[in-house]
Amino acid sequence: TQSTWGRLSFFYVMDFQNRVGSKTGGGGVLSSSESNVARRERLRQLALETIDLAKDPYFMRNHLGSYECKLCLTLHTNEGSYLAHTQGKKHQTNLARRAAKEAKDNPVVNVVAKKKVAMKKVVKIGRPGYRVTKQKNPEDGQKSLLFELEYPEIAPNMQPRHRFMSAYEQRIETPNKNYQFVLFAADPYETVAFKIPNMEIDKSEGKFYSDWDPTKKTFTLQLFFRAREQKSAPALPTRPTVFNPISARF
């Protein structure tokens, strides 16, 4: 009896310690199902640390408090379960299918990357001197504006530029459809804008003129406005229209 108890005691102490494929003190080898559970738990913990669910387009919380994957149409009880699902084969396969479908529907044209040109930083020295003259043609009454701007410190080989801008392009004041702007720019001066009536500019021959005098450093622009067409209202009838009933026509 004593030797039998000793053998039983010996087998009890050695149980699950030196099984084939296990490390000393590590316990027994995990089964395939236990290994899958452990792997999913590691993936879930990793996803919780690295993935922001707020940016996931397929993550949705329903009215019952559970979570859904809009891509795979699966239901999950908590965020960890959803994250574990996103690392699985089904979700990854559906992502690949969606990407392939979008690539087919919206083919991307190969565009040669252009070199980025560094913009030169120019220190502005203020606004140019200017003079605006309102004019009116004595023959036909056509109105015009004459702009004269002085750029005595303009950069070498630089010529002032101008352009017209809609009132809805600027962000300085509330847009007004009755006005537009004409802008003048030349480094190192600040860009200046003038508010003018929103009328059609007459660019016919002799009606639109611009000139840059490199000696006097003066830029001149003269523009004419086309006269708005005056549309007369339709005349009112002098007497009421006679009403002819349908029954009286037959």
Side-chain angles (χ1 to χ4, degrees):
T1 304
Q2 185 176 0
S3 60
T4 302
W5 175 257
R7 286 198 303 273
L8 291 175
S9 168
F10 171 77
F11 288 127
Y12 174 76
V13 173
M14 297 300 295
D15 191 24
F16 297 110
Q17 294 300 314
N18 295 308
R19 300 178 65 182
V20 177
S22 64
K23 296 181 180 180
T24 303
V29 179
L30 293 176
S31 63
S32 60
S33 61
E34 293 172 333
S35 177
N36 289 334
V37 171
R39 180 180 61 83
R40 286 196 297 269
E41 179 62 23
R42 290 196 303 271
L43 291 175
R44 185 182 72 85
Q45 293 294 338
L46 180 62
L48 282 173
E49 297 175 358
T50 58
I51 298 178
D52 186 5
L53 290 178
K55 299 180 180 179
D56 191 338
Y58 306 114
F59 177 72
M60 182 183 70
R61 183 172 183 175
N62 58 26
H63 64 286
L64 300 176
S66 55
Y67 304 94
E68 297 182 16
C69 175
K70 295 190 290 185
L71 179 64
C72 306
L73 302 179
T74 54
L75 189 65
H76 306 275
T77 56
N78 51 55
E79 296 180 357
S81 174
Y82 172 81
L83 289 172
H85 160 73
T86 59
Q87 307 302 315
K89 181 179 180 181
K90 180 177 181 180
H91 190 82
Q92 295 298 324
T93 301
N94 288 336
L95 283 177
R97 289 176 179 173
R98 174 61 63 87
K101 183 177 182 301
E102 291 179 352
K104 183 179 179 181
D105 296 340
N106 302 312
V108 179
V109 180
N110 293 329
V111 180
V112 179
K114 296 181 180 181
K115 295 182 179 180
K116 294 184 178 180
V117 180
M119 299 295 292
K120 294 191 302 181
K121 294 184 178 180
V122 179
V123 178
K124 301 297 183 179
I125 61 175
R127 300 176 182 176
Y130 63 87
R131 179 169 54 253
V132 182
T133 306
K134 296 181 180 180
Q135 298 175 334
K136 187 175 183 180
N137 192 334
E139 297 179 359
D140 55 8
Q142 188 176 15
K143 298 179 180 179
S144 67
L145 290 174
L146 177 64
F147 298 92
E148 297 174 285
L149 295 94
E150 299 176 352
Y151 295 96
E153 302 295 332
I154 191 171
N157 301 323
M158 175 70 67
Q159 182 172 338
R161 295 167 297 169
H162 74 278
R163 81 174 185 95
F164 296 94
M165 183 177 70
S166 168
Y168 296 94
E169 294 183 57
Q170 53 86 28
R171 297 292 182 269
I172 304 300
E173 60 183 37
T174 304
N176 188 337
K177 65 178 182 179
N178 296 321
Y179 296 95
Q180 60 181 327
F181 295 86
V182 57
L183 283 67
F184 298 90
D187 290 336
Y189 291 89
E190 296 179 2
T191 301
V192 292
F194 298 90
K195 190 174 183 179
I196 62 176
N198 189 19
M199 300 172 61
E200 184 181 358
I201 306 298
D202 189 355
K203 293 187 178 181
S204 59
E205 186 177 358
K207 299 293 185 180
F208 191 85
Y209 172 80
S210 63
D211 177 68
W212 165 243
D213 188 340
T215 304
K216 296 181 179 180
K217 305 294 181 65
T218 303
F219 182 75
T220 305
L221 174 69
Q222 185 178 26
L223 55 90
F224 287 80
F225 296 101
R226 290 186 183 275
R228 292 192 176 99
E229 296 181 1
Q230 300 293 334
K231 296 183 179 180
S232 58
L236 296 176
T238 56
R239 58 182 178 178
T241 304
V242 178
F243 175 70
N244 190 8
I246 296 177
S247 58
R249 300 177 188 176
F250 301 97

